[in-house]
Amino acid sequence: AQSVTQLGSHVSVSEGALVLLRCNYSSSVPPYLFWYVQYPNQGLQLLLKYTSAATLVKGINGFEAEFKKSETSFHLTKPSAHMSDAAEYFCAVSEGGKIIFGKGTRLHILP
Amino acid sequence: NAGVMQNPRHLVRRRGQEARLRCSPMKGHSHVYWYRQLPEEGLKFMVYLQKENIIDESGMPKERFSAEFPKEGPSILRIQQVVRGDSAAYFCASSPPAVNSGNTIYFGEGSWLTVV
């Protein structure tokens, strides 16, 4: 079964600093990978997805993620954090027609 | 183009009552997914349906929970004889066919069930 592991349930960064949220996947075949963001009391919104077209994937709100097969990683980054980025972020992988989510990383932005 | 619509947004039920959560997929989407979210536990897959067919229900509890997606009307997640542990946010999502081809699933705003 495919799965994703998110390292760090909580991450704090200062406003303007680099954001790095880690995700590792386990898959025996090239996976489809996703990052979603969830703001309080709302549903999930797609940030970006990897579908093997390019290893560096650009998403909305200045986020991007790089697929590294050698490291089985799909880390999410943003060069400069903004207060509005405070939310929970979920890495996910497709399996058998459904999407399996990691446990999430809550991002805190420090003023 | 309306997104995934869930209702009710908030539902309070007493122990032993039934809860029905409804989900209308995005226009043109034929597949519906239900997830449950508990604090600090992320989203747990429950069931994956297309119209009149359950494709994967491996995440559904064996008792009291059922889901359907009829030919006409919304998908319904039904929880019978609710218990306090059923209190959670339930999210519906929809997609065109073949998520394995990289199609995105789109989420609704969620239904928050509180069992008192």
Side-chain angles (χ1 to χ4, degrees):
Chain A
Q2 301 189 53
S3 65
V4 290
T5 302
Q6 292 184 242
L7 301 178
S9 57
H10 292 265
V11 169
S12 295
V13 301
S14 298
E15 191 174 17
L18 171 71
V19 175
L20 170 61
L21 304 182
R22 300 177 188 273
C23 173
N24 288 89
Y25 67 90
S26 69
S27 172
S28 57
V29 297
Y32 293 106
L33 294 161
F34 307 80
W35 275 100
Y36 281 82
V37 61
Q38 184 182 30
Y39 298 101
N41 300 318
Q42 294 187 23
L44 277 73
Q45 179 182 4
L46 179 72
L47 276 177
L48 49 82
K49 67 178 180 183
Y50 168 75
T51 58
S52 76
T55 56
L56 183 62
V57 183
K58 293 188 182 297
I60 62 171
N61 301 340
F63 284 93
E64 62 183 33
E66 186 172 6
F67 175 76
K68 290 188 176 179
K69 185 177 179 181
S70 60
E71 299 177 5
T72 62
S73 69
F74 190 56
H75 302 332
L76 181 71
T77 60
K78 181 174 180 177
S80 176
H82 191 271
M83 295 300 289
S84 61
D85 295 326
E88 189 151 22
Y89 293 79
F90 293 93
C91 182
V93 63
S94 63
E95 177 191 70
K98 61 184 185 282
I99 292 186
I100 305 300
F101 287 86
K103 291 194 173 184
T105 297
R106 188 168 296 278
L107 177 63
H108 304 272
I109 310 297
L110 307 173
Chain B
N1 197 12
V4 178
M5 304 300 291
Q6 288 189 248
N7 68 83
R9 290 294 312 278
H10 298 277
L11 181 64
V12 179
R13 284 287 178 265
R14 296 185 185 279
R15 282 178 293 171
Q17 290 185 318
E18 178 180 285
R20 285 193 181 212
L21 308 177
R22 289 176 291 277
C23 170
S24 296
M26 286 180 70
K27 187 177 181 181
H29 285 187
S30 55
H31 289 56
V32 165
Y33 312 78
W34 285 96
Y35 289 82
R36 178 164 61 177
Q37 185 175 34
L38 292 164
E40 308 298 326
E41 291 190 17
L43 279 88
K44 298 290 189 185
F45 168 78
M46 299 181 75
V47 63
Y48 166 31
L49 314 99
Q50 63 182 154
K51 283 196 182 287
E52 301 184 286
N53 186 29
I54 296 174
I55 299 174
D56 183 339
E57 57 181 350
S58 58
M60 287 282 271
K62 296 286 184 250
E63 298 178 345
R64 302 187 298 107
F65 284 71
S66 61
E68 62 176 7
F69 188 16
K71 186 176 181 181
E72 301 291 337
S75 174
I76 299 200
L77 179 67
R78 182 183 179 203
I79 311 172
Q80 295 178 290
Q81 300 173 352
V82 296
V83 300
R84 287 224 171 104
D86 297 332
S87 296
Y90 292 84
F91 288 94
C92 174
S94 73
S95 77
V99 173
N100 275 348
S101 298
N103 283 328
T104 302
I105 69 171
Y106 295 87
F107 281 83
E109 294 290 294
S111 291
W112 270 259
L113 172 66
T114 302
V115 179
V116 297

